[in-house]
Amino acid sequence: MTALLLIATLSAACSGARSDAEPTPPGAATTPAATPAPPKETPAATPSSGQDAVAERLAGMSLEEKVGQLFMPVLYGSKASGAHGENSARYGVASPAEVVKKFHLGGVILFPWSGNVESAEQVAGLASGLQKAAKTPLLIGADQENGLVSRLSGLVTDVPGNMAVGATGDPGAARAAAEVTGREMRALGLNVDFAPVADVNVNPANPVIGSRSYGEKPDKVAAMVAAAVEGFHDAGIGAAAKHFPGHGDTGVDSHTGLPVIKHSPAKWRRLDAPPFRAAIGKGVDIVMTAHVVMPELDRSGDPATLSKKIVTGLLRGDLGYDGVVSTDALDMAAVRKKYGDAEVAVRAVLAGVDLLLMPPDLPKAYGAVLAAVKSGRVTRDRLDASVTRLLTLKAERGVLSGEGDEQDPEAVLRSKEHRATAQDIADRAVTVVEGAGDLPLKGDILVTGPAARALAGLLDGAEAVPTADTPTAAQIAAARAAAARSDSIVVTTEDAGPAQSRLVAAMAATGRHVTVVSLSAPYELSRLGGYDTALAVYSSGSASLRAAAKALDGSLTPAGKLPVGLR
């Protein structure tokens, strides 16, 4: 967003902020309270090319329509005009199109579990139908981070996740991955990807980020995030850096609990801020907040999503960001515990948020924000500022004018070129953690563990004894029996817990050569014992499994580097 980027750049210059990916940007205040005063709550500036369209659209909106622009809920069903009982129960009208009209929605987020994702033709038809129902064109988004979080899995190219990209050490890989994903999402009629993840994962026990992060080094993560934003923009799609002010050092999943991260202001500036600063420097369209408490940044005890000190003070003031701020999903436990679903929506807006994502009770949240504006608790200027930012984003991405590629999704999705890009990233990500001299494997090979059948099918003559994610005693016994027929054993692991650890130990006890192939964040390798060789491929996707097979049979020399330390 040209003008918004200019504002961010000028604000950053005034506060000493930097827009590059260096790990310790100078000039930030020593405490959140001492950060530069946030900008006045007036409508954001807009690019000259779209300024008239944005201003005209804003002027023509009723109060109810403006409030509706702040909401991006989940709708249920595969067709815009199709009746669905969940819509009737939650929203009082049957079809997704009717919900869009009733609440004047600003956006919709798609999920497989809500019936939105069945086939390429169906998703494209749903998106088109939703746009036709909207008086103001919609932001239509999805969480397509690739890897662990891939809401469009099965439709789009299987691109390795962020930690695999981080293992390549090449920001160009991050840009290429984002462009492939962005082009395919745009072909489906979507215009926003809630990616990239900008969290610096420094906690091996992090239950919610892990392999979704590019790694643990702030400067390297910042470079990847900046490149990913460029890649999404290359594809003509909006990008969302998440989760501000940082979700990489938590041992609690914010979907089920409220994480507390005790980073000092200095540590936050050094560790968490650089990727967000880098994203802002590249004109990121959205910054998503985290439902985490950072008591050294705001002593109120409120999660960042509801904190004016963090959203308006740090993000807008210290980092100079004046684009769209989105909440993380408002149906998550971390943000619902202290306040009710109605009050949470109002407090998020008062904190400086523009886009209210996935409210668990849309009618209640919509009514609460509307009442807060009518009462003056949320000023008209404050509301107009958010709506202007949202309309500007839509104008900059061609949404407001209805611009689109009108591509045949089948010609774009999983194209030969896109699959080659994904495979190249997966190949370059393969990392030897232990036993480099043991490759390639020789003789008869047994593959066991999760994804064993898929990996064995890529190795000439290999036998597979697949197990569940949590191997049973019977499955471990079957693998032990099969080991007598093998020279080498490959055990695939994914977020290995006690059961997978027992499988590895049982294979090691056979006396055969054991290679572990880690299909997730490689921290698990430090919890396992008894293996001779260890590979990290960071993902269980098809491209990553092919890359693992190449490394095992000697057709690929692994060159990836661990993006996180193993303790």
Side-chain angles (χ1 to χ4, degrees):
M1 295 178 286
T2 308
L4 296 186
L5 177 56
L6 177 60
I7 292 171
T9 303
L10 291 174
S11 299
C14 292
S15 65
R18 297 176 63 176
S19 62
D20 57 22
E22 293 183 10
T24 313
T30 55
T31 66
T35 56
K40 184 181 178 181
E41 288 182 343
T42 55
T46 58
S48 58
S49 60
Q51 186 173 7
D52 291 344
V54 169
E56 182 179 353
R57 182 79 64 165
L58 182 70
M61 285 182 171
S62 67
L63 176 60
E64 290 76 12
E65 289 170 340
K66 289 178 180 179
V67 170
Q69 287 299 295
L70 308 187
F71 287 91
M72 193 174 198
V74 177
L75 305 183
Y76 294 83
S78 60
K79 296 180 180 179
S81 59
H84 195 288
E86 199 68 28
N87 292 323
S88 299
R90 288 174 177 267
Y91 310 129
V93 290
S95 72
E98 291 173 304
V99 182
V100 169
K101 293 176 181 178
K102 179 176 180 178
F103 293 97
H104 319 288
L105 295 179
V108 175
I109 184 168
L110 306 185
F111 286 94
W113 52 260
S114 60
N116 303 149
V117 182
E118 295 178 353
S119 70
E121 183 180 8
Q122 170 269 319
V123 173
L126 173 62
S128 176
L130 292 173
Q131 292 292 16
K132 289 175 182 176
K135 181 178 177 181
T136 298
L138 297 162
L139 296 175
I140 302 180
D143 289 311
Q144 186 58 33
E145 300 171 10
N146 296 319
L148 189 63
V149 177
S150 299
R151 308 303 187 196
L152 303 175
S153 178
L155 304 186
V156 300
T157 298
D158 176 24
V159 179
N162 288 347
M163 195 163 281
V165 175
T168 71
D170 178 16
R175 184 168 184 166
E179 183 175 0
V180 164
T181 299
R183 291 196 184 282
E184 297 193 3
M185 291 181 72
R186 182 161 179 166
L188 289 169
L190 283 70
N191 46 49
V192 169
D193 192 354
F194 284 102
V197 172
D199 302 312
V200 181
N201 201 81
V202 296
N203 188 341
N206 195 322
V208 67
I209 303 300
S211 64
R212 297 167 65 191
S213 168
Y214 290 106
E216 68 177 14
K217 301 293 185 184
D219 57 337
K220 294 184 182 300
V221 173
M224 295 291 179
V225 168
V229 172
E230 290 180 314
F232 285 120
H233 289 173
D234 291 341
I237 198 167
K242 59 188 187 184
H243 308 78
F244 188 86
H247 210 314
D249 191 12
T250 173
V252 174
D253 185 344
S254 51
H255 292 84
T256 57
L258 181 58
V260 177
I261 301 175
K262 297 181 179 180
H263 288 185
S264 68
K267 186 172 184 179
W268 174 78
R269 291 195 307 273
R270 174 180 57 81
L271 179 65
D272 301 296
F276 293 101
R277 198 183 295 274
I280 292 166
K282 295 298 182 181
V284 71
D285 306 86
I286 298 171
V287 173
M288 178 187 285
T289 62
H291 302 328
V292 300
V293 172
M294 283 197 173
E296 297 300 316
L297 304 183
D298 179 0
R299 293 181 175 84
S300 69
D302 285 340
T305 297
L306 308 181
S307 168
K308 190 168 185 177
K309 284 187 176 181
I310 290 174
V311 176
T312 301
L314 286 182
L315 180 55
R316 297 211 187 279
D318 190 61
L319 298 189
Y321 179 64
D322 199 29
V324 170
V325 176
S326 168
T327 69
D328 201 345
L330 291 177
D331 62 357
M332 293 164 63
V335 78
R336 299 181 71 188
K337 286 188 173 181
K338 191 172 181 181
Y339 306 104
D341 292 332
E343 179 66 8
V344 161
V346 175
R347 285 179 176 259
V349 173
L350 291 172
V353 166
D354 306 301
L355 187 62
L356 300 168
L357 185 66
M358 299 172 62
D361 190 327
L362 174 62
K364 183 181 292 185
Y366 175 90
V369 174
L370 181 61
V373 177
K374 287 181 176 179
S375 72
R377 185 182 177 195
V378 173
T379 67
R380 301 289 179 120
D381 280 350
R382 173 67 193 85
L383 176 63
D384 282 357
S386 282
V387 177
T388 299
R389 291 187 188 102
L390 289 160
L391 293 176
T392 300
L393 187 164
K394 294 178 181 183
E396 285 295 299
R397 295 290 154 234
V399 179
L400 203 60
S401 61
E403 296 174 15
D405 292 66
E406 299 297 330
Q407 299 179 81
D408 175 10
E410 297 297 339
V412 179
L413 304 181
R414 303 171 72 176
S415 68
K416 180 179 179 181
E417 294 77 12
H418 288 180
R419 285 184 284 113
T421 297
Q423 192 61 57
D424 177 66
I425 294 169
D427 289 352
R428 291 195 285 150
V430 180
T431 306
V432 178
V433 179
E434 185 74 33
D438 297 336
L439 298 174
L441 299 182
K442 297 178 177 63
D444 295 328
I445 300 172
L446 168 69
V447 185
T448 188
R453 183 172 283 114
L455 180 57
L458 299 168
L459 294 167
D460 187 27
E463 180 182 359
V465 178
T467 72
D469 290 344
T470 303
T472 65
Q475 289 170 337
I476 293 174
R480 186 185 298 113
R485 303 187 293 270
S486 303
D487 300 301
S488 297
I489 302 171
V490 176
V491 185
T492 59
T493 59
E494 189 168 10
D495 295 322
Q500 288 188 32
S501 298
R502 287 193 293 273
L503 175 63
V504 174
M507 295 303 96
T510 67
R512 302 302 198 269
H513 181 279
V514 175
T515 299
V516 171
V517 178
S518 172
L519 305 178
S520 57
Y523 303 115
E524 62 186 0
L525 294 173
S526 64
R527 302 193 296 268
L528 303 172
Y531 55 79
D532 302 287
T533 305
L535 294 179
V537 298
Y538 311 96
S539 169
S540 59
S542 56
S544 295
L545 290 175
R546 280 192 294 272
K550 292 179 185 180
L552 294 171
D553 70 16
S555 58
L556 177 152
T557 301
K561 303 293 183 184
L562 282 172
V564 294
L566 303 185
R567 300 167 177 82

